Amino acid sequence: MLKIGLEIHAQLKSSRKLFSLSKNTTSLLDVRPNTTASFFDVSLPGTQPKLNKEPLLLALKTALALNCSISEISTFDRKHYFYGDQPLGYQITQHYQPIAKDGYLKLTKYDLPKEKTIRIEQIQIEQDTGRTLYKEKGHSNVDFNRSNIPLIEMVTKPDFSSVEEVRAFIKKFQQTLVNLGVCTGELETGAIRVDVNLSVDDNSRIEIKNLPTTSAIVAAIRHEYKRQCRLIEKGEPITEVETRGWDGKKTQKLRSKEDAIDYRYMPDPELPAIRLRLDDIVPKVRALLPPSVDEQLQEILQKYEIKLRDANILLADHELMEYYKELYNKSVQSGVPNPINWLTHELLGSLSKSNMAFEKSVLHVDKFVELLVALENGLMTKTNGKLLLMHLINNPQDQEVPIPQLLEEFDLTKTDETEVLEQVTDKVISENPSVVEQVIGGKPKKLNYLIGLCMRASEGKFDPKLIEDKLKEKLSNLPNTTKT
Amino acid sequence: MLRQLSLKYNIFTSIALTKTESNSAGLLANTSYALKDNLVTRDTPTTCSSKILANYVSPFDSTVSKLLTQEGSQLIGKTNMDEFGMGNSSLNSHFGPTLNPLYEQKSDIVDLEEREFWIGGERLNEEITFKRPYTDNYLHRKYLVPKVRSDYKIDPQMRIVGGSSGGSAAAVAADLVDYAIGTDTGGSVRLPSCYTSIFGFKPSYGRISRWGLIPYAQSLDTIGIMSKNINLVRKVFGILDKHDSADPTSVSQENRIYDDKVDSQIKIGIPTEMSLEGMENDVKEKWRKLLKQLQKLPEFELFLISVPSLSKSLPAYYTLVTSEASSNLARYDGIRYGYRTGEYTNLEPEFAKTRSEGFGPEVKRRIILGSYSLSSYGYNSHFMNATKVRSKLIQEFNSVFKEPHMLTKDHNPDGVDFILCPTATSLPPLVSQYQKVTPVESYMNDILTVPFSLAGLPVLSIPLGRSIGFQLAGQLGHDYKVLKLAQMIDELHIR
């Protein structure tokens, strides 16, 4: 039986760092190294920490959204270890009295086939370290821009029993933080970092670190589970607590219990405790919370009648959501059906092919509507519509030009010149006798291949449906050579 | 004279040669002072008397030095100390020992070397360089540093100056400055003040900003004032006694007490636990004489009081300071500033070599002791127990004092106004003697000073003859009363 718990670190999107007034540039990776580090951030002698209130507020929002109980008194402790990017020689964290405890996050029908509640043990506020930039030959540089950026560490109970649950939880956690506006929610940039605690059949617990993406997390869990199952079958189950890393292919031992670090936790002798008047502050913070991810999902699923997958895409990006709502309203007014596929598949797909990120300025909503109306009115084929969409996002100046003019200019107007269609289909059929044979011989799906060839030969001028009908008509009239 | 005495007694880690403009209209115009070398300054190096910070120049000023400069006081130099404040002799310094100016020293123990550096302008964050820059937009700073002579001899009758603020005490005792700033973690202002027969004031914890003080043990570190003139001590305290938002432990404005009225009938408590068996005869005699004089005066009433936890204070203190020190000193790894070895092996990372070369033996001893107390083996048995002793001691002091505690307001309406006890149990040991005692024996010198540090109380060491002093302590926050009574005692000439 597999049992998993998660420890997730998330960078808080405050304007200033946790204990100093230097700027928090978490989400900006292109900031020059060591330009947003204050005297305290590089631990100059004689500097002192001073807690900023904004990260505290962001942590409280998160704690309430995760149904935790907030501590009336929480304190800061020092966790000691030496590392080049740890300027103080310790990290200021909340070991003994964390800011919040005993919460939960519900994985609902939107997340998993079967609902499940994951309990949260605690949430603590702590400092991020600097970033080590490894250079050649054992040489490395340290960038202290990240040093002292506020983090929350969230620890779950070992409530997960499958990879799917873990995946669903991470997604839900990311969505929740993004929805609260407390974190960018990205794993790729290190804004969210996940450590996995895992045990099989209640044997000793293994911790897996260095998991940069959700797919790495999933792969590492699967690998470690299989590895331990094999050991159990051999009669040699894990007996000792151990920390392992993930190298992209397998988990590898980093350290065992004997060489585990004694962090020598000590209450910080100069940072005052955080004392909160809960009856006053909790309702105030709660009032600041947006509707939960589930509430929002339910609302958009009902209102727009879209697929869960599309709803999740919209929910992950506030700007995209707003764009969709406007696009939807204008489309409906113009008599165009729900444009969700054109947005999440065609527009986002074209953007990703063009290596662009979504912003509402990539295509003016009105232009998008104009394009959809033209399609609806049969001015072009769907294929040509996609080509035009791609063209518009890559050539923003053409968004000023009316659609009919563009169609004219690029020769994309839909055509039904039957003569041309006859020629094209005849040519394709005569050039691909073996495929034709297969279609007739009972593999109707091969027809799509022929349709594709016709589309290409006619440069997309014909509606695929039209080609399909024509092909079927011609094939049924062919002398039956193989069936005898 | 400054140079002569510095060569013999090795008082300074750096003597400023560049005179900076001073505010002639300030409250401290025409005064000069010395600053303990664990308080950062932009115009002189800040070393904590340690190799690991030798040549370190801070890009910012401590709040204390800023306030004093604003009021027109002239900084003469940074004073020698026990490395990072760890010691009570001022013998544990990378720059060699500081000696006690009350005792004769015939030969020089150090030479003075001239050094210089440049700061790239008035703004913070500007470059600091020890090489002459190509442009002249830089501020030039010159200073003298001591270099220990290889063959130096200390006179056989020389006694220790006390520590860790030994250089600050010596600068005052030798009349090189009007007053000096020291720091007191467990007696580091009071003990050297006692040994050099000057006033040494440790205010309530949190009254003087620690921004810019390089920490030894933050929960105890307190900046103090040393002078031969008690009125000047009070004046300087009045200037430094300000809330500072940069220091998270700075007492808030509304909690500061300025009242200095002393009752017409002054109740003084003498802790039975502090009349130690081991007290030396010279000290005992002076102490008895003082008590008799006070008893004769109608305004004083003496009471024997009991503070049982006093007997456990010393081990609790050493557990807490070493724990905090082991944590605070973790940052010195040579990566961002300070000494760096540049050598490493596969067996030993570079920072480990840097630290074993950069710290002196007493500092290393305390880092090891503290690391043990914080380890998973020692945390409950050592660190937590010491914390409990400390809380109990504070409660016991609250049950003895009449005035309310500044923060908790706890007090005993029938209690005493002040506590009086000797500062040290003996005369300062001979340097030759002190060098032979074990570290633990040397820790015993702090037995009378640490309880007030653990409780954060305001306490003043008042000179009582050559190298003898007694401590006058008040309830937390009632600093001006302590100073007022000291002024009264000074005027009565009962010393």
Side-chain angles (χ1 to χ4, degrees):
Chain A
M1 189 197 58
L2 179 63
K3 225 190 235 179
I4 300 169
L6 300 178
E7 282 175 35
I8 306 186
H9 289 86
Q11 286 181 333
L12 296 178
K13 255 184 3 183
S14 55
S15 57
R16 308 276 159 170
K17 292 188 181 178
L18 184 55
F19 294 119
S20 70
L21 294 176
S22 43
K23 284 205 180 86
N24 175 354
T25 47
T26 44
S27 45
L28 311 168
L29 291 173
D30 53 351
V31 176
R32 211 154 62 85
N34 296 314
T35 54
T36 59
S38 69
F39 294 157
F40 176 76
D41 302 338
V42 294
S43 80
L44 287 197
T47 55
Q48 295 174 280
K50 182 106 195 211
L51 177 68
N52 289 320
K53 292 195 178 100
E54 193 194 352
L56 175 61
L57 175 64
L58 300 186
L60 289 174
K61 281 184 175 180
T62 312
L64 287 180
L66 296 175
N67 309 296
C68 291
S69 49
I70 310 285
S71 312
E72 209 161 342
I73 297 177
S74 63
T75 54
F76 289 103
D77 307 298
R78 296 177 176 183
K79 174 183 181 178
H80 298 87
Y81 63 93
F82 287 101
Y83 204 78
D85 57 21
Q86 177 60 278
L88 290 163
Y90 54 81
Q91 175 194 36
I92 303 179
T93 178
Q94 296 192 300
H95 180 70
Y96 293 110
Q97 293 184 70
I99 185 78
K101 281 189 220 167
D102 302 328
Y104 62 89
L105 183 61
K106 261 194 187 140
L107 300 177
T108 59
K109 60 181 175 188
Y110 302 129
D111 310 301
L112 276 175
K114 197 168 165 251
E115 293 198 358
K116 175 140 187 178
T117 297
I118 303 295
R119 292 169 301 159
I120 288 161
E121 194 164 303
Q122 65 177 56
I123 291 179
Q124 61 206 47
I125 304 173
E126 58 189 34
Q127 298 173 294
D128 209 340
T129 61
R131 192 201 308 265
T132 304
L133 309 164
Y134 295 96
K135 304 275 167 181
E136 72 289 348
K137 277 192 261 175
H139 183 82
S140 47
N141 292 344
V142 189
D143 174 11
F144 291 100
N145 285 350
R146 202 178 72 175
S147 164
N148 193 31
I149 277 176
L151 293 177
I152 47 167
E153 179 180 339
M154 189 240 15
V155 183
T156 73
K157 297 270 187 196
D159 284 349
F160 301 93
S161 51
S162 74
V163 172
E164 288 68 32
E165 289 171 8
V166 170
R167 201 205 309 258
F169 182 88
I170 292 171
K171 194 198 81 198
K172 189 67 167 267
F173 184 70
Q174 286 174 300
Q175 283 178 328
T176 303
L177 297 193
V178 171
N179 182 39
L180 292 170
V182 302
C183 177
T184 62
E186 295 151 349
L187 270 93
E188 305 74 38
T189 59
I192 290 187
R193 284 160 250 164
V194 180
D195 293 337
V196 170
N197 283 308
L198 175 154
S199 71
V200 181
D201 289 353
D202 288 326
N203 288 309
S204 288
R205 185 170 54 85
I206 296 293
E207 187 182 17
I208 315 174
K209 287 182 172 290
N210 311 336
L211 299 166
T213 58
T214 308
S215 53
I217 294 163
V218 167
I221 292 173
R222 289 204 170 118
H223 176 274
E224 182 60 22
Y225 178 62
K226 276 185 204 144
R227 187 182 75 91
Q228 291 203 30
C229 286
R230 277 199 301 275
L231 288 171
I232 291 166
E233 279 163 21
K234 273 203 272 175
E236 299 163 4
I238 307 257
T239 54
E240 263 194 8
V241 174
E242 175 176 300
T243 304
R244 299 179 73 85
W246 174 248
D247 65 4
K249 287 192 177 107
K250 56 186 185 306
T251 66
Q252 270 179 327
K253 183 164 166 176
L254 292 179
R255 54 176 180 263
S256 61
K257 199 180 174 187
E258 292 87 60
D259 41 43
I261 302 166
D262 189 336
Y263 289 119
R264 292 173 283 123
Y265 286 102
M266 178 183 88
D268 190 282
E270 60 185 344
L271 275 167
I274 301 172
R275 288 166 202 278
L276 300 172
R277 276 187 40 213
L278 296 182
D279 52 347
D280 178 48
I281 198 151
V282 170
K284 281 183 186 159
V285 176
R286 211 181 282 285
L288 298 174
L289 300 183
S292 75
V293 172
D294 279 347
E295 283 162 358
Q296 296 191 37
L297 267 180
Q298 198 171 357
E299 192 202 314
I300 55 176
L301 286 172
Q302 272 175 8
K303 186 163 174 193
Y304 299 102
E305 296 179 321
I306 55 179
K307 288 202 231 58
L308 180 59
R309 184 185 161 275
D310 292 328
N312 276 322
I313 293 173
L314 295 180
L315 216 55
D317 186 338
H318 188 72
E319 200 177 340
L320 187 67
M321 172 79 92
E322 291 307 306
Y323 186 89
Y324 171 69
K325 288 180 179 172
E326 193 184 342
L327 182 68
Y328 175 88
N329 290 336
K330 288 186 169 163
S331 298
V332 170
Q333 280 163 22
S334 312
V336 173
N338 196 337
I340 187 69
N341 281 329
W342 274 91
L343 179 65
T344 58
H345 295 197
E346 310 310 342
L347 180 66
L348 295 186
S350 301
L351 285 172
S352 104
K353 272 182 214 151
S354 315
N355 254 327
M356 291 164 74
F358 173 78
E359 283 171 74
K360 59 179 194 282
S361 58
V362 293
L363 180 60
H364 196 279
V365 172
D366 291 337
K367 199 72 199 169
F368 206 161
V369 175
E370 192 189 338
L371 187 142
L372 295 174
V373 170
L375 259 169
E376 188 64 18
N377 294 343
L379 297 186
M380 66 188 122
T381 59
K382 205 177 162 200
T383 318
N384 284 347
K386 289 179 199 171
L387 284 174
L388 190 56
L389 183 66
M390 183 67 122
H391 175 81
L392 287 173
I393 59 170
N394 283 294
N395 303 279
Q397 72 283 357
D398 278 358
Q399 293 187 25
E400 305 297 325
V401 184
I403 296 279
Q405 194 182 323
L406 288 171
L407 291 173
E408 205 60 47
E409 208 173 298
F410 297 111
D411 196 19
L412 294 172
T413 36
K414 188 149 86 173
T415 172
D416 51 358
E417 300 161 61
T418 341
E419 220 174 318
V420 185
L421 186 60
E422 292 285 342
Q423 288 168 7
V424 169
T425 45
D426 283 345
K427 189 163 175 266
V428 167
I429 287 172
S430 65
E431 280 174 1
N432 296 280
S434 60
V435 183
V436 170
E437 236 171 77
Q438 285 176 317
V439 175
I440 297 168
K443 287 185 178 162
K445 278 192 181 156
K446 286 282 172 183
L447 186 67
N448 288 337
Y449 177 71
L450 298 179
I451 298 173
L453 289 174
C454 295
M455 295 281 285
R456 200 182 299 162
S458 62
E459 292 173 323
K461 267 185 212 163
F462 298 103
D463 197 291
K465 182 80 185 109
L466 210 62
I467 298 177
E468 190 182 341
D469 292 346
K470 195 66 173 175
L471 280 172
K472 279 184 177 161
E473 179 197 321
K474 297 228 164 193
L475 289 178
S476 62
N477 292 338
L478 272 183
N480 201 335
T481 48
T482 49
K483 264 188 177 170
T484 48
Chain B
M1 194 176 69
L2 174 73
R3 198 179 272 256
Q4 264 176 6
L5 288 168
S6 298
L7 294 170
K8 282 191 168 71
Y9 293 96
N10 192 24
I11 295 167
F12 296 97
T13 49
S14 60
I15 298 170
L17 292 179
T18 314
K19 290 276 170 278
T20 45
E21 280 291 301
S22 67
N23 170 17
S24 56
L27 290 169
L28 292 172
N30 302 318
T31 63
S32 62
Y33 77 104
L35 190 64
K36 191 177 180 179
D37 205 16
N38 56 355
L39 284 151
V40 301
T41 46
R42 282 188 90 203
D43 291 330
T44 43
T46 305
T47 68
C48 284
S49 289
S50 179
K51 182 179 176 182
I52 211 141
L53 281 178
N55 295 328
Y56 174 72
V57 179
S58 171
F60 67 100
D61 274 312
S62 52
T63 299
V64 165
S65 68
K66 212 185 280 171
L67 288 171
L68 295 175
T69 306
Q70 268 170 23
E71 293 299 343
S73 210
Q74 187 75 44
L75 176 67
I76 299 300
K78 304 289 284 287
T79 57
N80 201 9
M81 55 187 280
D82 287 302
E83 187 180 354
F84 281 101
M86 299 184 191
N88 50 32
S89 64
S90 296
L91 302 179
N92 309 328
S93 164
H94 174 62
F95 297 93
T98 294
L99 303 181
N100 192 331
L102 263 46
Y103 303 87
E104 193 190 13
Q105 167 68 17
K106 291 191 194 70
S107 58
D108 294 348
I109 60 169
V110 293
D111 295 315
L112 291 173
E113 279 180 2
E114 211 173 287
R115 298 253 185 94
E116 56 192 341
F117 65 91
W118 290 264
I119 314 168
E122 293 283 357
R123 283 187 311 135
L124 289 181
N125 280 323
E126 293 289 358
E127 187 197 9
I128 295 163
T129 171
F130 285 79
K131 284 192 194 116
R132 181 179 288 280
Y134 296 112
T135 66
D136 40 351
N137 303 333
Y138 284 66
L139 301 173
H140 185 208
R141 295 288 179 255
K142 258 168 48 173
Y143 62 99
L144 293 172
V145 251
K147 194 153 186 282
V148 188
R149 293 189 165 192
S150 55
D151 57 345
Y152 76 85
K153 279 201 177 62
I154 295 174
D155 284 22
Q157 290 311 303
M158 176 54 67
R159 291 178 182 272
I160 65 166
V161 68
S164 62
S165 313
S168 290
V172 171
D175 288 320
L176 301 178
V177 290
D178 298 310
Y179 67 97
I181 300 299
T183 64
D184 190 313
T185 304
S188 286
V189 160
R190 290 161 283 156
L191 195 70
S193 295
C194 165
Y195 286 173
T196 55
S197 306
I198 62 171
F199 289 96
F201 180 46
K202 180 198 92 68
S204 295
Y205 178 79
R207 277 202 96 134
I208 298 182
S209 167
R210 285 188 300 106
W211 177 257
L213 164 60
I214 301 181
Y216 163 23
Q218 286 101 331
S219 77
L220 296 135
D221 291 342
T222 310
I223 290 167
I225 304 152
M226 304 152 96
S227 178
K228 288 186 177 175
N229 177 348
I230 180 65
N231 297 321
L232 185 57
V233 171
R234 191 190 184 292
K235 191 173 177 185
V236 172
F237 178 65
I239 287 160
L240 299 180
D241 175 28
K242 289 193 171 67
H243 172 72
D244 182 4
S245 61
D247 174 0
T249 58
S250 181
V251 176
S252 67
Q253 195 50 52
E254 66 265 25
N255 278 327
R256 286 172 190 254
I257 302 163
Y258 296 98
D259 183 17
D260 71 348
K261 248 201 1 259
V262 175
D263 286 0
S264 54
Q265 198 61 37
I266 303 163
K267 289 178 168 180
I268 292 184
I270 316 291
T272 49
E273 292 82 2
M274 281 178 163
S275 43
L276 295 170
E277 292 298 310
M279 205 182 286
E280 222 173 58
N281 279 338
D282 291 13
V283 179
K284 215 181 260 175
E285 215 170 284
K286 284 273 185 190
W287 173 237
R288 282 210 184 108
K289 213 174 126 201
L290 171 74
L291 294 184
K292 272 186 193 148
Q293 277 178 303
L294 286 175
Q295 259 172 331
K296 274 188 218 149
L297 293 168
E299 53 266 59
F300 291 100
E301 262 186 292
L302 301 188
F303 296 88
L304 265 183
I305 56 165
S306 175
V307 184
S309 294
L310 285 176
S311 58
K312 290 180 191 157
S313 293
L314 196 66
Y317 167 80
Y318 269 95
T319 305
L320 294 173
V321 277
T322 54
S323 300
E324 291 184 31
S326 74
S327 172
N328 290 325
L329 271 56
R331 68 184 62 192
Y332 302 103
D333 54 12
I335 292 177
R336 296 163 306 283
Y337 47 78
Y339 173 76
R340 181 171 193 170
T341 173
E343 282 175 41
Y344 60 95
T345 61
N346 287 339
L347 295 173
E348 195 182 39
E350 192 196 68
F351 74 83
K353 194 132 196 294
T354 293
R355 288 166 66 80
S356 45
E357 290 169 4
F359 290 132
E362 183 59 29
V363 171
K364 285 183 210 168
R365 183 177 298 119
R366 294 193 191 195
I367 289 175
I368 292 168
L369 285 171
S371 299
Y372 178 77
S373 296
L374 292 179
S375 71
S376 43
Y377 309 102
Y379 187 76
N380 286 324
S381 58
H382 291 62
F383 185 82
M384 282 316 288
N385 270 340
T387 304
K388 281 177 206 151
V389 169
R390 186 180 191 177
S391 314
K392 187 135 188 289
L393 179 72
I394 293 169
Q395 282 169 21
E396 288 172 10
F397 273 127
N398 288 341
S399 68
V400 159
F401 279 118
K402 188 172 80 190
E403 299 293 343
H405 185 277
M406 175 179 73
L407 303 172
T408 63
K409 315 293 178 208
D410 289 343
H411 70 122
N412 173 1
D414 302 321
V416 298
D417 297 291
F418 299 98
I419 291 176
L420 198 64
C421 70
T423 307
T425 56
S426 67
L427 290 176
L430 294 168
V431 170
S432 55
Q433 228 173 34
Y434 188 89
Q435 282 166 334
K436 282 180 215 145
V437 305
T438 65
V440 175
E441 282 171 321
S442 78
Y443 298 168
M444 297 297 283
N445 286 357
D446 302 330
I447 197 152
L448 295 172
T449 51
V450 297
F452 303 114
S453 293
L454 284 172
L457 304 183
V459 52
L460 183 77
S461 180
I462 301 175
L464 186 70
R466 198 189 198 204
S467 290
I468 298 175
F470 62 94
Q471 301 180 91
L472 180 67
Q475 173 63 300
L476 189 83
H478 299 269
D479 301 67
Y480 288 101
K481 287 193 178 169
V482 172
L483 289 166
K484 183 73 178 183
L485 186 64
Q487 284 173 311
M488 283 168 59
I489 291 174
D490 194 43
E491 280 160 19
L492 287 168
H493 296 287
I494 35 182
R495 298 189 273 132

